[in-house]
Amino acid sequence: MAHNVAIIGSGPAGFFTAEALLRSEADVRVDMFERLPVPFGLVRYGVAPDHQKLKSVTALFETLADHKDFTFLGNVSVGTDVSIEEMRASYDAVVVATGALRGRDLGIPGEELDGNLTATDFIGWYNGHPDFRDVKIDLSHRRAIVIGNGNVALDVCRILSKTVDELRGSDISAHALDALAESQVRDVHLVGRRGPAQAKFTAKELREFGTLAQAEPILHPDAIRLAPACAEEAAETGTPGVAKNLKILKGFADRKADPAKSRRIYFHFNMAPDRITGTDHAEEVVFKRMRLEGPAFGQRAVPTGAETSLRGGMVIGCVGYRGFGLPGLPFDAARGTIPNVSGQVHDTDGTPLPGVYTAGWIKRGPSGVIGTNRACGVETADQVLAGLTTGRDTDAARDAFVAALAARLDRVVDFAAWRRIDAREKADGARRGKPREKVTDIATMLAEALPDAEPKLRCAP
Ligand code: NAP
């Protein structure tokens, strides 16, 4: 008699939770449910295509998928194809690891104008996500304005600023590479609402801006002159990333821009977006000038009363992500997370919801790098394991559930079927000198994954 755990979502949080469960002493079978026919979530669709090393974690996930007690059920949408109630009745535990799917809006007037995008629109488009591959991306403007001072904003600026030759060896989708080859964007303005000492960039990602083939980072030395409270924060040993970032930014400010380079990335700080103006299309972003007030580590950004603006036909807000709830589960709409304590989901009245857990961005909010999800998954798996009761035998219920699901939905994609998509993507990529050329539409994924003669589903015995 095994314990049966369903994990919803096949991104890093889902896989790291599965890893911790399958490597535990307990006799556990894991079924991983994924809305798309393809696994890996954020690693496949969020990580920048020119950062292939970060994607190498999929080798671990591939190994886990071969575990005899692991089953992948792709192309199954929980909440539509199956309900949480059905899953809770058939499994000892259900772990929600659905991530944070959508870029947050700026919440300012003018966001409805053409030319204004969220990070997920642009990133989903260049990464070939089926939901975003058809988003209209207009690269006919000379200036792009990227709002936010995190690593996502850096990814977006870098993809806009690299030449096609710099991107060619990545797994950027062909439609995006073709469009970027014709891009008229020459000036990218990266805007933070607070100062350089508060930017959330990591040094490795920021440093890359000094090495681009055709793009020069531009920064006025005054922009990194720190007020005493910021200098105190930056000097604090607990925040070494800040000091590194400041050093890199100083290097950018000191450097003489190479006139032979055709592109520029301008760094701006202390400017909070107030409104986007234009008739049908975004033409300008108006910002409130901000200053920081208060003691070190307790500083608040407040408007100075002055405004400034940047003209540009492409605006991309990179200001964090939002998770979404699942029908039948509590959800904290303000935080965009499922209420939980260490991964154990709690109901709206604060009581633990038996057998329901959460991991990753939907558990703790959209922060941290891929590896952060490992500790997060371990914490959740510990909760799952502690909650397993010896008296309950879910084997028969789980097997019946999976069999009924496979019969009801005739196009469930197991891991062997995903590997057929994977093989095709790698072969298509090899012909173009890329690690892979992603299939970007669900119909083609399914045609590749499930040729008629193939069995529909392989389940862990
Ligand atoms: P993030 O690091 O939280 O940065 C969000 C940025 O948006 C912050 O600068 C924030 O400013 C700003 N912001 C929020 N609301 C705003 C508003 N209304 N107006 C203007 N600015 C606003 O989030 P992220 O960049 O989306 O990244 C998510 C996580 O993924 C991070 O942990 C990141 O490190 C990680 N990531 C890692 C990599 C990598 O390792 N290569 C790549 C991409 C992402 P305030 O600070 O003032 O709130």
Side-chain angles (χ1 to χ4, degrees):
M1 182 178 90
H3 290 290
N4 292 280
V5 178
I7 296 179
I8 307 167
S10 69
F15 267 102
F16 283 130
T17 306
E19 179 194 31
L21 290 169
L22 292 171
R23 292 195 173 160
S24 73
E25 306 267 287
D27 188 8
V28 177
R29 294 193 298 181
V30 172
D31 289 348
M32 181 176 280
F33 293 83
E34 167 59 55
R35 178 175 70 92
L36 295 174
V38 294
F40 307 143
L42 185 76
V43 180
R44 181 176 163 98
Y45 290 123
V47 171
D50 57 340
H51 281 174
Q52 286 295 310
K53 262 197 193 158
L54 293 178
K55 298 190 185 232
S56 59
V57 69
T58 56
L60 166 72
F61 301 161
E62 293 271 350
T63 309
L64 275 174
D66 287 331
H67 194 289
K68 66 177 178 44
D69 291 323
F70 178 92
T71 300
F72 177 73
L73 299 107
N75 199 34
V76 180
S77 182
V78 176
T80 309
D81 296 329
V82 288
S83 68
I84 288 284
E85 289 77 15
E86 283 176 273
M87 295 178 94
R88 288 183 71 190
S90 310
Y91 289 89
D92 294 273
V94 176
V95 180
V96 184
T98 46
L101 286 181
R102 301 278 157 163
R104 283 183 48 221
D105 292 333
L106 295 165
I108 57 173
E111 279 196 281
E112 71 291 350
L113 291 169
D114 269 2
N116 176 57
L117 303 164
T118 67
T120 27
D121 293 328
F122 188 60
I123 293 172
W125 171 77
Y126 67 59
N127 272 332
H129 190 298
D131 293 354
F132 297 97
R133 68 176 194 143
D134 294 325
V135 171
K136 196 174 134 222
I137 302 291
D138 178 2
L139 296 161
S140 67
H141 303 274
R142 184 178 173 90
R143 273 184 165 196
I145 301 165
V146 177
I147 299 172
N149 263 186
N151 283 329
V152 167
L154 292 185
D155 282 349
V156 165
C157 287
R158 200 178 60 253
I159 297 295
L160 282 171
S161 307
K162 276 193 167 178
T163 61
V164 166
D165 283 340
E166 286 172 291
L167 292 171
R168 216 182 285 287
S170 77
D171 70 348
I172 191 165
S173 288
H175 64 264
L177 192 64
D178 292 347
L180 287 162
E182 303 297 319
S183 172
Q184 299 302 307
V185 175
R186 290 295 172 271
D187 297 336
V188 177
H189 291 262
L190 172 62
V191 188
R193 66 178 171 182
R194 296 192 290 156
Q198 288 75 35
K200 292 176 173 160
F201 313 138
T202 47
K204 186 165 170 286
E205 276 62 32
L206 184 60
R207 200 173 288 119
E208 231 181 309
F209 283 80
T211 65
L212 302 180
Q214 275 301 325
E216 275 287 348
I218 307 282
L219 175 65
H220 196 281
D222 284 351
I224 45 167
R225 207 154 282 146
L226 299 187
C230 288
E232 195 183 321
E233 287 180 14
E236 172 67 36
T237 49
T239 53
V242 175
K244 279 190 199 162
N245 282 350
L246 290 169
K247 196 168 164 208
I248 296 164
L249 289 169
K250 180 165 181 340
F252 293 167
D254 288 347
R255 130 192 200 145
K256 201 166 172 314
D258 180 349
K261 290 193 177 177
S262 56
R263 302 173 182 208
R264 299 280 183 271
I265 301 147
Y266 296 87
F267 289 78
H268 305 267
F269 296 101
N270 297 310
M271 286 162 54
D274 185 64
R275 58 195 184 274
I276 304 171
T277 60
T279 35
D280 299 322
H281 201 286
E283 289 167 19
E284 185 179 58
V285 184
V286 181
F287 296 88
K288 280 187 160 63
R289 287 237 181 247
M290 307 295 283
R291 72 185 152 77
L292 292 163
E293 215 178 59
F297 302 103
Q299 297 190 85
R300 243 167 24 97
V302 291
T304 64
E307 286 189 346
T308 187
S309 63
L310 288 168
R311 292 194 68 78
M314 181 178 209
V315 182
I316 308 181
C318 303
V319 294
Y321 288 88
R322 267 193 65 74
F324 289 90
L326 281 174
L329 287 184
F331 187 65
D332 179 341
R335 295 189 65 233
T337 53
I338 295 178
N340 71 92
V341 175
S342 305
Q344 162 71 67
V345 172
H346 280 226
D347 221 332
T348 36
D349 63 3
T351 53
L353 206 58
V356 187
Y357 303 87
T358 182
W361 280 7
I362 194 69
K363 165 187 171 184
R364 57 174 212 279
S367 67
V369 295
I370 302 282
T372 313
N373 291 296
R374 192 168 215 167
C376 180
V378 167
E379 182 186 61
T380 296
D382 285 347
Q383 293 287 321
V384 171
L385 293 168
L388 293 175
T389 48
T390 43
R392 192 175 175 210
D393 180 357
T394 53
D395 280 348
R398 175 271 176 193
D399 291 350
F401 173 79
V402 171
L405 186 69
R408 195 162 82 212
L409 312 172
D410 64 350
R411 299 204 291 177
V412 178
V413 173
D414 69 7
F415 217 77
W418 143 248
R419 283 191 167 127
R420 285 191 281 276
I421 303 175
D422 187 39
R424 172 194 164 149
E425 291 186 343
K426 284 178 174 154
D428 287 352
R431 276 192 291 280
R432 297 166 190 238
K434 303 167 71 172
R436 72 174 62 242
E437 185 61 62
K438 282 181 206 151
V439 177
T440 61
D441 71 285
I442 288 179
T444 311
M445 287 175 184
L446 292 177
E448 199 67 42
L450 303 171
D452 285 341
E454 293 293 329
K456 286 173 185 158
L457 184 67
R458 172 191 62 77
C459 300

